[in-house]
């Protein structure tokens, strides 16, 4: 979670008044950035940044089967492994409850994973309530995501997989949406490195985000359900036949995480469903506060 005024996160559907009443608040703490709350209901534990999760949930865990994914967008983010099944170095911008780093460490125990989270309270809550664990291979930097990316670039670091999953209680922070930021991220990718980015599938920013990613990466895979996940590489995408072969090899381990690989492969699309004439988001033009959230 993360950046500047941001934090990681995962999003999900809004919660009805009846659901709010049934939720049990088990933890609340005020951070420099927001209130971090943990609710339980019907065997699910969720982190939220608003009372009653009225704006959405940042992350959720099945308390009886903690390794199985609850939120659909995390399942889609894991589809980055259909492009490169064996990344050796991974960067995740946004921690949430630690669902993604936990799963990736389980599947790829020799990979190094750097997680960037701006809010120390989120790190504490992830460790206490969601089973997240740091180690010599899973490291956490508590800082703004863009600051980390800039420093990593100056140091010449390279990653085989970069996951962007940083949200505040409303949307992705403005400075993590721009062409300049994505160019900084692209510079961190190894020659065949993969970028996976979590965004909304219905948003006033949809066209702006799309043309901005296209300006940096060209054609990208666009996976859409409630959320949308963008999968991109600097040097072009692999053929879908290769994606299918890699997915088939991951069928068994993904099933243990509650991920249906056939369903995810069916979401892979390069169809342009946005206005190509939309203005690219830049550090000088990134009015996310005026344009964001769902239509």
């Amino acid at each position: 979670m993360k950046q500047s005024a941001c934090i990681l996160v995962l999003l999900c559907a809004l919660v009805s008044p009846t659901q709010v009443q049934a939720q049990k608040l088990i933890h609340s703490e005020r951070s420099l950035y927001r209130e971090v709350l943990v609710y339980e209901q019907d065997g699910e534990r969720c982190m939220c940044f608003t009372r009653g999760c009225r704006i959405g949930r940042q992350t959720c865990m099945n308390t009886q089967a903690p390794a199985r994914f609850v939120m659909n967008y995390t399942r889609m983010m894991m589809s980055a492994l259909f492009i490169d099944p064996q990344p050796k170095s991974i960067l995740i911008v946004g921690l949430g409850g630690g669902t993604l780093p936990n799963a990736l460490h389980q599947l790829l125990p020799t990979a190094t994973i750097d997680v960037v989270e701006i809010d120390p309270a989120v790190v504490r809550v992830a460790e206490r309530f969601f089973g997240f664990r740091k180690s010599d291979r899973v490291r956490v930097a508590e800082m703004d995501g863009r600051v980390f990316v800039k420093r990593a670039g100056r140091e010449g670091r390279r990653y085989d997989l970069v996951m962007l999953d940083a949200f505040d209680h409303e949307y992705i922070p403005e400075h993590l949406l721009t062409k300049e930021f994505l160019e900084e991220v692209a510079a961190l990718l190894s020659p065949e490195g993969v970028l996976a980015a979590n965004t909304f599938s219905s948003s006033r920013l949809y066209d702006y985000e799309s043309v901005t990613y296209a300006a940096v990466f060209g054609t990208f895979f666009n996976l859409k359900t409630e959320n949308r996940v963008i999968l991109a590489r600097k040097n072009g995408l692999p053929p879908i036949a290769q994606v299918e072969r890699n997915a088939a090899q991951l069928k068994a381990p993904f099933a243990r995480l509650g991920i249906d690989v056939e369903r995810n492969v069916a979401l892979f699309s390069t169809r342009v469903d946005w206005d190509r004439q939309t203005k690219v988001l830049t550090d000088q033009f990134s009015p996310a506060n005026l344009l964001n959230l769902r239509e």
Side-chain angles (χ1 to χ4, degrees):
M1 299 214 94
K2 1 314 196 359
Q3 300 52 35
S4 221
C6 76
I7 211 163
L8 148 96
V9 89
L10 346 173
L11 339 123
C12 140
L14 299 183
V15 181
S16 71
T18 301
Q19 289 175 307
V20 170
Q21 293 173 5
Q23 292 175 337
K24 178 182 179 181
L25 179 65
I26 64 172
H27 179 76
S28 172
E29 66 177 275
R30 173 70 62 179
S31 78
L32 178 64
Y33 303 96
R34 61 190 45 79
E35 192 171 18
V36 181
L37 308 113
V38 181
Y39 287 91
E40 282 193 359
Q41 180 182 9
D42 299 330
E44 287 187 1
R45 179 178 297 168
C46 298
M47 181 192 298
C48 302
F49 298 148
T50 54
R51 287 277 164 176
C53 305
R54 65 182 181 277
I55 303 293
R57 301 172 293 172
Q58 309 310 307
T59 191
C60 290
M61 179 183 74
N62 183 326
T63 58
Q64 299 304 308
R68 293 183 66 84
F69 285 17
V70 171
M71 304 186 80
N72 195 43
Y73 98 89
T74 53
R75 299 184 180 101
M76 292 195 293
M77 290 285 278
M78 291 293 289
S79 298
L81 297 186
F82 299 170
I83 299 175
D84 179 4
Q86 293 291 328
K88 296 179 175 59
S89 54
I90 301 169
L91 170 63
I92 303 174
V93 181
L95 174 63
T99 300
L100 291 170
N102 281 352
L104 289 165
H105 182 56
Q106 176 185 330
L107 291 173
L108 305 163
T110 63
T112 59
I113 303 174
D114 289 332
V115 181
V116 188
E117 172 52 60
I118 196 172
D119 194 341
V122 170
V123 179
R124 292 193 297 270
V125 169
E127 292 178 316
R128 180 178 174 187
F129 293 98
F130 294 90
F132 173 67
R133 294 291 179 268
K134 304 172 191 173
S135 71
D136 58 342
R137 292 194 175 274
V138 181
R139 304 170 296 207
V140 175
E142 294 178 357
M143 65 172 66
D144 178 275
R146 187 156 183 184
V147 171
F148 182 95
V149 167
K150 284 180 177 291
R151 291 180 181 176
R154 289 196 296 266
E155 294 167 4
R157 298 192 207 178
R158 294 293 178 268
Y159 293 95
D160 300 321
L161 173 60
V162 175
M163 291 184 159
L164 302 180
D165 191 21
F167 289 77
D168 56 25
H169 69 285
E170 291 185 329
Y171 202 54
I172 303 166
E174 292 181 5
H175 67 306
L176 303 183
L177 286 170
T178 68
K179 180 174 181 283
E180 291 88 344
F181 171 65
L182 294 180
E183 289 172 338
E184 292 164 358
V185 170
L188 295 183
L189 291 172
S190 60
E192 299 300 318
V194 180
L195 170 68
N198 176 33
T199 79
F200 283 159
S201 61
S202 178
S203 161
R204 293 186 180 90
L205 278 170
Y206 186 89
D207 290 355
Y208 293 89
E209 291 175 344
S210 300
V211 297
T212 304
Y213 274 88
V216 177
F217 293 99
T219 303
F220 54 81
F221 287 124
N222 201 29
L223 287 63
K224 293 170 61 177
T225 53
E226 302 85 4
N227 285 58
R228 109 145 123 186
V229 167
I230 292 170
L231 300 177
R233 289 198 309 192
K234 287 190 297 185
N235 299 323
L237 298 175
I240 196 65
Q242 181 179 332
V243 170
E244 292 170 345
R245 287 193 297 270
N246 291 338
Q249 295 173 4
L250 291 165
K251 184 172 183 178
F254 270 37
R256 291 192 287 272
L257 297 172
I259 302 173
D260 183 333
V261 297
E262 286 89 355
R263 179 181 181 276
N264 277 18
V265 168
L267 296 174
F268 275 63
S269 172
T270 58
R271 183 175 68 88
V272 174
D273 60 357
W274 56 86
D275 181 356
R276 295 177 188 264
Q277 303 306 311
T278 303
K279 190 171 182 177
V280 170
L281 296 171
T282 67
D283 287 345
Q284 289 70 45
F285 176 77
S286 184
N289 60 322
L290 301 178
L291 296 170
N292 71 0
L293 293 191
R294 303 172 194 194
E295 295 177 335

